[in-house]
Amino acid sequence: MSSEPLSAQLVDGLQGVFGTHAGRRRSGAKGFCAVGDFVANGNAERLTTADTLQRNKRSAVVARFSIGGGSPMAPDNGPSVRGLSLSLDGNHEFVLINTPVFTARTPESFLAFLKVRAPDPQTRQMNAPAIAAANAANPDWMPQIAYLRDNPPPASYATSAYFGVNSFVFTNRQGQKQHARWTFEPVAGRVGLTMEERTAKGPTFLEAELRERVARAPAEWRVLLQIPRAGDPLNDAVAAWPADRQTVEVGRLRITGVQAAGMAGACDAQMFNPVLLPAGIDPSDDPILAIRAEAYAVSLSRRSQ
């Protein structure tokens, strides 16, 4: 048994799979910054007193788009997770991914997922039979694996939906509480790459594509809260709620600028803490959500290594 906190073990696990890259995040190592705004439409007022969701509230946004995993050379045309992290006025932060489920149900299961994928120190090759056996033994890993298998990589960061795989608890002025999950739905529609486009685009195109896109017009997302029904799992990051559940559109995100190529960005020093929340929103008891801030802090502390 390791004497390290579980949060540090998770970061160790990421480094075991992807190596250590000085100055880079241990997860989402390949990414870039963007800026924009979020405007609330007031539809969330019946659910929460959160100031960021009150009618016509405009919040300045610092954002980061990324490729999942700890490799700064991760291919943009590969079948991996895409991420979007946001800070609204510095007091309401989001960590979203483009799959409606997370990798594993618990931090311990996620650690096992990483450990079995660590390459051999000599050959630098993964043990495919061991991974296949571990996949079969851990069914909570399969929903995200299946989603990535069945859905093509996005053609643009602006044509991908992003999901808050954890639920949060929203409290309104009457003290009523409601679990809900975030979905950011692209106004441009969900557009993926064909196999031919994946080859033609190559491994590095997403950042330049988004920079060029927002130079013409903002990239926009409809911001939705999905409301569960009785019996839906509230604290399980690998269980997506059915698509027929009620959704409430609560605002719109616009990305209006992308950091200049090769230059530092406004998000570089930010951790993005998904439990940095305004009054009126609280984290759920999801164990994946509970460990995120601590693990991100460990990653932040190691960026100079």
Side-chain angles (χ1 to χ4, degrees):
M1 296 286 292
S2 173
S3 61
E4 281 192 311
L6 183 53
S7 54
Q9 293 181 56
L10 289 169
V11 179
D12 291 342
L14 286 162
Q15 292 176 176
V17 176
F18 299 105
T20 300
H21 305 279
R24 299 282 188 164
R25 298 168 194 258
R26 298 312 192 246
S27 179
K30 184 180 184 180
F32 58 91
C33 305
V35 295
D37 57 45
F38 170 78
V39 179
N41 59 21
N43 291 340
E45 290 178 347
R46 67 179 178 85
L47 298 172
T48 180
T49 59
D51 60 353
T52 50
L53 296 176
Q54 301 309 297
R55 185 173 306 277
N56 298 325
K57 168 66 175 176
R58 181 181 297 272
S59 301
V61 168
V62 173
R64 186 173 188 269
F65 294 90
S66 61
I67 303 288
S71 171
M73 302 303 294
D76 289 1
N77 57 356
S80 58
V81 172
R82 306 295 187 266
L84 170 59
S85 298
L86 303 170
S87 179
L88 275 56
D89 287 340
N91 62 11
H92 187 182
E93 299 193 341
F94 301 74
V95 178
L96 311 161
I97 56 177
N98 73 324
T99 65
V101 291
F102 189 61
T103 313
R105 178 172 287 117
T106 66
E108 294 82 2
S109 182
F110 186 37
L111 181 59
F113 177 93
L114 294 170
K115 283 185 172 180
V116 78
R117 285 162 171 78
D120 181 275
Q122 301 301 319
T123 66
R124 302 306 301 165
Q125 298 298 310
M126 292 185 180
N127 186 334
I131 292 173
N135 288 348
N138 292 273
D140 63 311
W141 300 354
M142 297 313 297
Q144 189 184 75
I145 290 173
Y147 188 91
L148 291 170
R149 179 195 64 213
D150 297 340
N151 291 273
S156 166
Y157 277 119
T159 63
S160 179
Y162 299 96
F163 305 91
V165 296
N166 312 112
S167 69
F168 292 83
V169 182
F170 295 77
T171 304
N172 66 15
R173 287 179 175 80
Q174 291 74 44
Q176 299 167 321
K177 296 184 181 296
Q178 172 67 65
H179 282 76
R181 282 176 173 167
W182 296 104
T183 299
F184 285 53
E185 194 67 46
V187 172
R190 300 188 192 187
V191 182
L193 295 171
T194 66
M195 289 303 297
E196 294 78 11
E197 288 171 333
R198 287 174 64 176
T199 300
K201 293 282 188 182
T204 305
F205 71 92
L206 286 171
E207 180 178 349
E209 191 280 338
L210 189 62
R211 183 181 295 112
E212 293 165 5
R213 179 185 290 259
V214 301
R216 299 189 298 270
E220 299 186 66
W221 288 261
R222 297 167 53 231
V223 180
L224 311 170
L225 283 172
Q226 187 184 29
I227 310 299
R229 292 181 188 167
D232 287 340
L234 303 178
N235 303 312
D236 187 346
V238 303
W241 296 336
D244 65 355
R245 298 301 186 253
Q246 177 191 0
T247 59
V248 180
E249 185 169 346
V250 300
R252 186 160 293 206
L253 168 69
R254 299 191 318 151
I255 295 298
T256 57
V258 174
Q259 72 180 72
M263 302 296 289
C267 71
D268 287 344
Q270 290 197 232
M271 186 178 84
F272 293 110
N273 178 359
V275 295
L276 178 59
L277 301 165
I281 308 176
D282 293 290
S284 67
D285 293 330
D286 189 324
I288 290 294
L289 180 59
I291 200 143
R292 279 186 157 187
E294 188 177 341
Y296 296 166
V298 174
S299 174
L300 178 65
S301 73
R302 295 186 186 181
R303 283 192 207 169
S304 62
Q305 300 174 11

